[in-house]
Amino acid sequence: MAKLYFRYGAMNSGKSTAMIQVPHNYEEQGMRVLILKPRIDTKGGDQLLSRLGVSRRADVVVPGDMDVFEAIRADVRAHEQPLACVLCDESQFFTPEQAEQLFMVTVELNVPVICYGLRTDFSLKGFPGSTRLLELAHTIEEMKTICTCGRKAICNTRKVDGEFVFEGEQVAIDQQNHVEYVSTCPQCYFEKRRAFYQKHPKL
């Protein structure tokens, strides 16, 4: 039985690097894969970018209103070679409905789906797509990284123009408009959060 996998981790936990390795492994065995990337993630255009410098083109850039189940079913019908696996980058940006559609790919089409993404945003709130994946995935795997203090990092902390910020829209793409993210442990996260609100008491 095909399964839906959700592999989540904080920023810089190696999600994109690990994901780019997976299709290489399949293709070395002569198998066909399909790679999806949400359109809202404009960083790199149609490319999956790893911080180690490796990249890979996505086969489908998914807008928010796409029925991904129907898109994958059409791909299966259009190719004689079976589809071995569907891989999804930045899966937190899929809608809850698209997360359900990916689940149905495993149920109705018997094709494994592996999703990589963040669990929570910079304010420790769940992304709607990630929350649905956590509810539906057959297998949930954490990809680990460390904070600058040496503790396990589970928080995604946003910086704008070099300053840690704790107010703003849920989605702000990394490396665009002077936005970057730092993965931190909870202790360092709340230390920086307290400092931010002390500096901006009216927020």
Side-chain angles (χ1 to χ4, degrees):
M1 182 185 72
K3 293 182 179 181
L4 172 63
Y5 299 83
F6 183 38
R7 296 174 178 169
Y8 74 90
M11 298 292 293
N12 304 312
S13 59
K15 296 183 297 298
S16 294
T17 302
M19 179 179 165
I20 291 170
Q21 179 66 40
V22 173
H24 174 76
N25 294 343
Y26 275 98
E27 289 163 353
E28 275 198 326
Q29 304 303 320
M31 299 179 182
R32 189 172 70 86
V33 300
L34 188 69
I35 300 175
L36 278 56
K37 174 184 177 180
R39 180 175 291 173
I40 192 173
D41 179 32
T42 53
K43 181 179 64 178
D46 66 352
Q47 297 289 315
L48 281 59
L49 303 178
S50 162
R51 295 176 194 275
L52 292 185
V54 294
S55 63
R56 168 88 185 221
R57 186 180 66 82
D59 299 301
V60 182
V61 178
V62 178
D65 59 354
M66 175 183 279
D67 186 323
V68 293
F69 176 86
E70 291 299 334
I72 294 167
R73 180 159 65 177
D75 176 88
V76 169
R77 290 174 172 173
H79 291 83
E80 290 186 8
Q81 184 181 12
L83 181 60
C85 185
V86 175
L87 295 156
C88 304
D89 194 32
E90 302 293 352
S91 298
Q92 70 273 8
F93 294 138
F94 289 123
T95 66
E97 292 75 19
Q98 288 171 332
E100 293 170 11
Q101 291 157 10
L102 290 167
F103 176 69
M104 293 308 296
V105 168
T106 70
V107 175
E108 298 290 343
L109 304 181
N110 198 34
V111 176
V113 178
I114 307 175
C115 294
Y116 293 79
L118 302 173
R119 180 177 55 171
T120 58
D121 64 15
F122 77 110
S123 60
L124 301 185
K125 295 187 173 80
F127 288 95
S130 297
T131 298
R132 198 68 182 118
L133 287 169
L134 287 166
E135 292 167 342
L136 292 172
H138 297 84
T139 300
I140 299 168
E141 301 170 358
E142 182 183 16
M143 302 184 68
K144 299 175 183 178
T145 189
I146 60 171
C147 180
T148 55
C149 71
R151 300 185 185 98
K152 177 183 173 182
I154 63 170
C155 305
N156 302 300
T157 313
R158 179 183 291 172
K159 296 176 77 174
V160 178
D161 293 323
E163 179 185 358
F164 287 101
V165 298
F166 294 84
E167 297 284 341
E169 296 295 323
Q170 182 174 55
V171 177
I173 301 301
D174 188 18
Q175 299 178 10
Q176 295 181 5
N177 300 318
H178 309 287
V179 174
E180 60 181 313
Y181 291 90
V182 178
S183 51
T184 64
C185 67
Q187 288 86 348
C188 289
Y189 177 91
F190 284 102
E191 178 183 328
K192 297 178 190 307
R193 188 176 186 273
R194 283 191 294 270
F196 173 80
Y197 284 110
Q198 287 170 359
K199 185 177 180 180
H200 304 280
K202 294 184 179 180
L203 292 178

mmCIF file of all heavy atoms in Angstrom, residues 12 34 73 86-87 111 118 128 133-134 142 173 187:
data_model
loop_
_atom_site.group_PDB
_atom_site.id
_atom_site.type_symbol
_atom_site.label_atom_id
_atom_site.label_comp_id
_atom_site.label_asym_id
_atom_site.label_seq_id
_atom_site.Cartn_x
_atom_site.Cartn_y
_atom_site.Cartn_z
ATOM 1 N N ASN A 12 16.782 25.240 7.680
ATOM 2 C CA ASN A 12 18.178 24.779 7.665
ATOM 3 C C ASN A 12 18.350 23.364 8.222
ATOM 4 O O ASN A 12 19.441 23.014 8.671
ATOM 5 C CB ASN A 12 19.091 25.746 8.443
ATOM 6 C CG ASN A 12 19.009 27.160 7.918
ATOM 7 O OD1 ASN A 12 19.090 27.385 6.721
ATOM 8 N ND2 ASN A 12 18.837 28.110 8.816
ATOM 9 N N LEU A 34 7.702 12.421 -9.964
ATOM 10 C CA LEU A 34 7.065 13.695 -10.277
ATOM 11 C C LEU A 34 7.298 14.630 -9.106
ATOM 12 O O LEU A 34 7.000 14.279 -7.960
ATOM 13 C CB LEU A 34 5.566 13.502 -10.518
ATOM 14 C CG LEU A 34 4.787 14.712 -11.034
ATOM 15 C CD1 LEU A 34 5.202 15.039 -12.474
ATOM 16 C CD2 LEU A 34 3.282 14.456 -10.961
ATOM 17 N N ARG A 73 -3.145 12.329 -11.608
ATOM 18 C CA ARG A 73 -3.826 11.270 -12.348
ATOM 19 C C ARG A 73 -3.646 11.459 -13.856
ATOM 20 O O ARG A 73 -3.423 10.488 -14.585
ATOM 21 C CB ARG A 73 -5.309 11.222 -12.000
ATOM 22 C CG ARG A 73 -6.052 10.131 -12.766
ATOM 23 C CD ARG A 73 -7.336 9.731 -12.101
ATOM 24 N NE ARG A 73 -8.320 10.814 -12.085
ATOM 25 C CZ ARG A 73 -9.554 10.654 -11.587
ATOM 26 N NH1 ARG A 73 -9.917 9.482 -11.066
ATOM 27 N NH2 ARG A 73 -10.404 11.668 -11.595
ATOM 28 N N VAL A 86 5.685 10.591 -5.894
ATOM 29 C CA VAL A 86 5.459 12.036 -6.000
ATOM 30 C C VAL A 86 6.211 12.698 -4.860
ATOM 31 O O VAL A 86 6.095 12.281 -3.697
ATOM 32 C CB VAL A 86 3.963 12.389 -5.920
ATOM 33 C CG1 VAL A 86 3.771 13.904 -5.900
ATOM 34 C CG2 VAL A 86 3.206 11.762 -7.090
ATOM 35 N N LEU A 87 6.978 13.745 -5.175
ATOM 36 C CA LEU A 87 7.766 14.473 -4.180
ATOM 37 C C LEU A 87 7.295 15.916 -4.143
ATOM 38 O O LEU A 87 7.105 16.540 -5.190
ATOM 39 C CB LEU A 87 9.253 14.421 -4.529
ATOM 40 C CG LEU A 87 9.871 13.025 -4.481
ATOM 41 C CD1 LEU A 87 11.104 12.951 -5.358
ATOM 42 C CD2 LEU A 87 10.210 12.661 -3.050
ATOM 43 N N VAL A 111 0.172 5.511 -5.396
ATOM 44 C CA VAL A 111 1.484 6.110 -5.641
ATOM 45 C C VAL A 111 1.965 6.754 -4.340
ATOM 46 O O VAL A 111 1.242 7.565 -3.748
ATOM 47 C CB VAL A 111 1.420 7.174 -6.755
ATOM 48 C CG1 VAL A 111 2.774 7.867 -6.923
ATOM 49 C CG2 VAL A 111 0.977 6.546 -8.072
ATOM 50 N N LEU A 118 7.791 22.847 6.499
ATOM 51 C CA LEU A 118 7.809 23.366 7.855
ATOM 52 C C LEU A 118 6.526 22.964 8.575
ATOM 53 O O LEU A 118 5.473 22.823 7.958
ATOM 54 C CB LEU A 118 7.896 24.892 7.847
ATOM 55 C CG LEU A 118 9.095 25.520 7.133
ATOM 56 C CD1 LEU A 118 8.930 27.038 7.085
ATOM 57 C CD2 LEU A 118 10.395 25.149 7.824
ATOM 58 N N PRO A 128 -1.653 25.965 7.581
ATOM 59 C CA PRO A 128 -2.826 25.126 7.330
ATOM 60 C C PRO A 128 -2.508 23.848 6.559
ATOM 61 O O PRO A 128 -3.016 22.773 6.901
ATOM 62 C CB PRO A 128 -3.753 26.048 6.535
ATOM 63 C CG PRO A 128 -3.388 27.433 7.000
ATOM 64 C CD PRO A 128 -1.901 27.375 7.205
ATOM 65 N N LEU A 133 -1.497 17.848 6.719
ATOM 66 C CA LEU A 133 -0.567 16.743 6.467
ATOM 67 C C LEU A 133 -0.272 15.968 7.740
ATOM 68 O O LEU A 133 -0.192 14.733 7.725
ATOM 69 C CB LEU A 133 0.732 17.276 5.851
ATOM 70 C CG LEU A 133 0.652 17.722 4.391
ATOM 71 C CD1 LEU A 133 1.923 18.461 3.992
ATOM 72 C CD2 LEU A 133 0.411 16.537 3.466
ATOM 73 N N LEU A 134 -0.121 16.673 8.842
ATOM 74 C CA LEU A 134 0.115 16.001 10.116
ATOM 75 C C LEU A 134 -1.078 15.130 10.506
ATOM 76 O O LEU A 134 -0.932 14.075 11.129
ATOM 77 C CB LEU A 134 0.395 17.025 11.215
ATOM 78 C CG LEU A 134 1.761 17.709 11.157
ATOM 79 C CD1 LEU A 134 1.784 18.935 12.071
ATOM 80 C CD2 LEU A 134 2.876 16.741 11.540
ATOM 81 N N GLU A 142 10.631 13.706 11.636
ATOM 82 C CA GLU A 142 11.238 15.003 11.935
ATOM 83 C C GLU A 142 12.679 15.025 11.433
ATOM 84 O O GLU A 142 13.451 14.098 11.673
ATOM 85 C CB GLU A 142 11.224 15.276 13.433
ATOM 86 C CG GLU A 142 11.806 16.634 13.793
ATOM 87 C CD GLU A 142 11.852 16.885 15.290
ATOM 88 O OE1 GLU A 142 11.718 15.916 16.061
ATOM 89 O OE2 GLU A 142 12.027 18.052 15.679
ATOM 90 N N ILE A 173 8.666 35.184 1.925
ATOM 91 C CA ILE A 173 9.604 34.228 1.343
ATOM 92 C C ILE A 173 11.038 34.558 1.729
ATOM 93 O O ILE A 173 11.487 35.702 1.646
ATOM 94 C CB ILE A 173 9.451 34.186 -0.190
ATOM 95 C CG1 ILE A 173 8.009 33.795 -0.548
ATOM 96 C CG2 ILE A 173 10.433 33.217 -0.817
ATOM 97 C CD1 ILE A 173 7.559 32.464 -0.011
ATOM 98 N N GLN A 187 14.118 28.247 23.931
ATOM 99 C CA GLN A 187 14.693 29.196 24.890
ATOM 100 C C GLN A 187 15.193 30.454 24.173
ATOM 101 O O GLN A 187 14.906 31.583 24.597
ATOM 102 C CB GLN A 187 15.842 28.531 25.663
ATOM 103 C CG GLN A 187 15.379 27.489 26.664
ATOM 104 C CD GLN A 187 15.192 26.109 26.040
ATOM 105 O OE1 GLN A 187 15.189 25.952 24.822
ATOM 106 N NE2 GLN A 187 15.029 25.101 26.896
#
